[in-house]
Amino acid sequence: MSMLTTGFLTGLLLTLSVANASSERYHPNHLFIKMKDGQSLVKSPLIKSSKKIIPGLYLVKTTSADALATTLQDKAAIEYVQRDFYSGKSAMPKLEPLDLNQLKMKAFTEINLNQFNDPDVSKLWAFDTTGLDVSGAYASLPGHTPKEIIVAVADTGVDHKHEDLKDVMWTNDGEIPADGKDNDGNGYIDDIHGINVLVRDAQGRATMDTMASHWHGTHVSGTIAATQNNAVGIAGVASNVKIMAIRVVPDDSDELDSDIVEGFKYAAVMGAKVINCSFGKKNNEGGMVVRDVMNEIGTKYGVLVVVSAGNDSQAPFFYSNNDVDMKYPASYDSENMLVIASTTSSGSLSSFSNVGKVTVDVASPGSNIYSTVNGGKYAMASGTSMAAPNASGVAAMVLGYYPELSVKELKQVLTSTVTKVPAFTERMSSGGRLNLKRALEVAAQ
């Protein structure tokens, strides 16, 4: 499905949703209904309950999603109907053996060690000029204290007890831990570090246990914001971040659209300004629910969603082009989303990274990334899942120093200050790699 305008979507998505439903897995008792502007939610005896996601968009519970969708096809007040699709079960990425020969180690090691006392910072090649030039940025930071930025990690959960993460976890000050009450009245009980939409209480509310059972979300979090200069482990890209854990991805990677949008909405309402989204799926099933929610939280709450481009390429023989063979959410047409390809320590495109002149924005380090994993450990992994958090760290640093930037302005700063790479010109819109030092310099202007 190509990127469609809102006008063309009106009416068409009802038909597409019904046509695609038979070939995709979806929740049998959930249905999204998007009403046209000014219209109230339609009434039907098949609707047992409803929840407003954003203005005009509802998730309803029904005895039969198929039957309800069929009865709504001819309703003029409806913009679209979409089933609540699963992304599809698949094996999660595997950790890699630590191979220092795969890391581009050179003089930047000494510079990093002078700036950071974290003993394994020399393994973070992304700090080099072939990466994000984090070293150069920290050598010439602006002369004022950055604002704290909450980055929501929408993933498999986070090991909030990890020695390099425990001090950078976001804490909900409105909640009294473990008292079994919704102290801040936000609809969630004891949501201290975030929410877990995969486990729900008897009332259907997401619960508070965001502890990771898979390493993926913990690895992502360490890349963004592992505690700097604590003489332990590694350092994150950003010094001004608190990590909000949003557990939306099961260990078999089979996330529901409804869980994704609930996690995004929670993060935005609770103050996150960047959401890291290191997941995706190949099929969109004709729906725009996730895109519409990203647009809403970007406009209303000033949230940038950083998304991995995908890992379907087999370069140099084949590059998976998201402009043609779309992946979601990476291929949505949202100004509030930054889509990230992956690079190696030499600065070249990773062999697995998806590309897209229109739908992929920039590149960021994603091969052989050393970071935190569950149980107080550290390990190496590769993927655009690893490239996205490097980009999220850059975005959070720039926004922290210049919090007056709108989402559109922040995205413009990040994409206009890249290190240009001729080979990237036709493979992403910016034609280059993110550069933290340059982004901070231009943001100051």
Side-chain angles (χ1 to χ4, degrees), residues 26-75:
Y26 53 90
H27 197 295
N29 305 118
H30 287 180
L31 196 69
F32 289 106
I33 303 175
K34 177 71 179 295
M35 305 302 301
K36 292 180 180 178
D37 289 345
Q39 299 293 325
S40 300
L41 178 64
V42 293
K43 298 184 183 300
S44 169
L46 295 175
I47 297 176
K48 301 306 178 185
S49 64
S50 65
K51 180 178 181 180
K52 185 177 180 180
I53 307 298
I54 57 174
L57 177 63
Y58 299 85
L59 175 65
V60 303
K61 293 185 178 180
T62 174
T63 53
S64 173
D66 288 342
L68 179 58
T70 299
T71 66
L72 299 179
Q73 287 188 73
D74 298 324
K75 299 290 186 181

Side-chain angles (χ1 to χ4, degrees), residues 201-213:
D201 62 19
Q203 286 71 45
R205 295 172 298 199
T207 53
M208 52 72 63
D209 184 8
T210 56
M211 177 61 76
S213 58

Side-chain angles (χ1 to χ4, degrees), residues 369-417:
I369 302 301
Y370 191 71
S371 188
T372 51
V373 292
N374 299 350
K377 299 178 181 179
Y378 302 81
M380 183 179 287
S382 295
T384 56
S385 283
M386 284 64 248
N390 270 309
S392 291
V394 171
M397 279 288 282
V398 174
L399 187 59
Y401 277 104
Y402 304 100
E404 69 279 5
L405 292 172
S406 68
V407 176
K408 185 177 180 179
E409 290 169 338
L410 175 60
K411 184 174 177 179
Q412 174 64 22
V413 167
L414 297 176
T415 56
S416 67
T417 56

Side-chain angles (χ1 to χ4, degrees), residues 186-219:
N186 70 347
Y188 300 90
I189 294 173
D190 292 333
D191 51 316
I192 302 301
H193 298 304
I195 57 171
N196 180 350
V197 300
L198 305 180
V199 179
R200 297 183 179 272
D201 62 19
Q203 286 71 45
R205 295 172 298 199
T207 53
M208 52 72 63
D209 184 8
T210 56
M211 177 61 76
S213 58
H214 190 280
W215 58 267
H216 197 271
T218 302
H219 197 277

Side-chain angles (χ1 to χ4, degrees), residues 36 96 137 152 161 193 201-202 219 274 317 336 344 371 408 424:
K36 292 180 180 178
E96 304 168 358
K161 296 181 180 180
H193 298 304
D201 62 19
H219 197 277
V274 178
F317 307 105
N336 306 311
T344 70
S371 188
K408 185 177 180 179
F424 292 2

Side-chain angles (χ1 to χ4, degrees), residues 146-326:
K147 178 182 178 180
E148 181 179 284
I149 299 296
I150 300 171
V151 177
V153 174
D155 213 290
T156 60
V158 180
D159 182 358
H160 58 261
K161 296 181 180 180
H162 195 289
E163 57 186 348
D164 244 354
L165 295 176
K166 61 182 182 178
D167 294 330
V168 296
M169 295 301 300
W170 170 77
T171 298
N172 183 359
D173 294 331
E175 284 293 311
I176 299 173
D179 73 344
K181 298 179 181 179
D182 178 14
N183 303 109
D184 60 0
N186 70 347
Y188 300 90
I189 294 173
D190 292 333
D191 51 316
I192 302 301
H193 298 304
I195 57 171
N196 180 350
V197 300
L198 305 180
V199 179
R200 297 183 179 272
D201 62 19
Q203 286 71 45
R205 295 172 298 199
T207 53
M208 52 72 63
D209 184 8
T210 56
M211 177 61 76
S213 58
H214 190 280
W215 58 267
H216 197 271
T218 302
H219 197 277
V220 165
S221 300
T223 296
I224 298 169
T227 306
Q228 297 177 356
N229 291 310
N230 61 346
V232 170
I234 62 167
V237 171
S239 63
N240 62 317
V241 162
K242 293 297 184 183
I243 295 291
M244 178 188 290
I246 308 294
R247 189 170 187 189
V248 296
V249 180
D251 290 353
D252 62 2
S253 189
D254 197 21
E255 61 271 5
L256 267 173
D257 287 343
S258 58
D259 290 341
I260 299 303
V261 297
E262 181 177 358
F264 281 8
K265 179 69 180 294
Y266 173 92
V269 170
M270 298 306 291
K273 293 302 179 184
V274 178
I275 297 177
N276 190 91
C277 178
S278 288
F279 59 83
K281 59 181 179 177
K282 293 184 179 181
N283 297 315
N284 186 35
E285 302 93 18
M288 288 294 177
V289 165
V290 175
R291 185 204 65 171
D292 287 352
V293 171
M294 286 195 296
N295 286 343
E296 173 71 11
I297 64 175
T299 300
K300 184 174 181 178
Y301 298 98
V303 179
L304 176 70
V305 182
V306 179
V307 177
S308 55
N311 310 312
D312 304 300
S313 292
Q314 297 180 3
F317 307 105
F318 166 73
Y319 283 101
S320 183
N321 189 329
N322 288 1
D323 296 351
V324 179
D325 184 14
M326 296 199 168

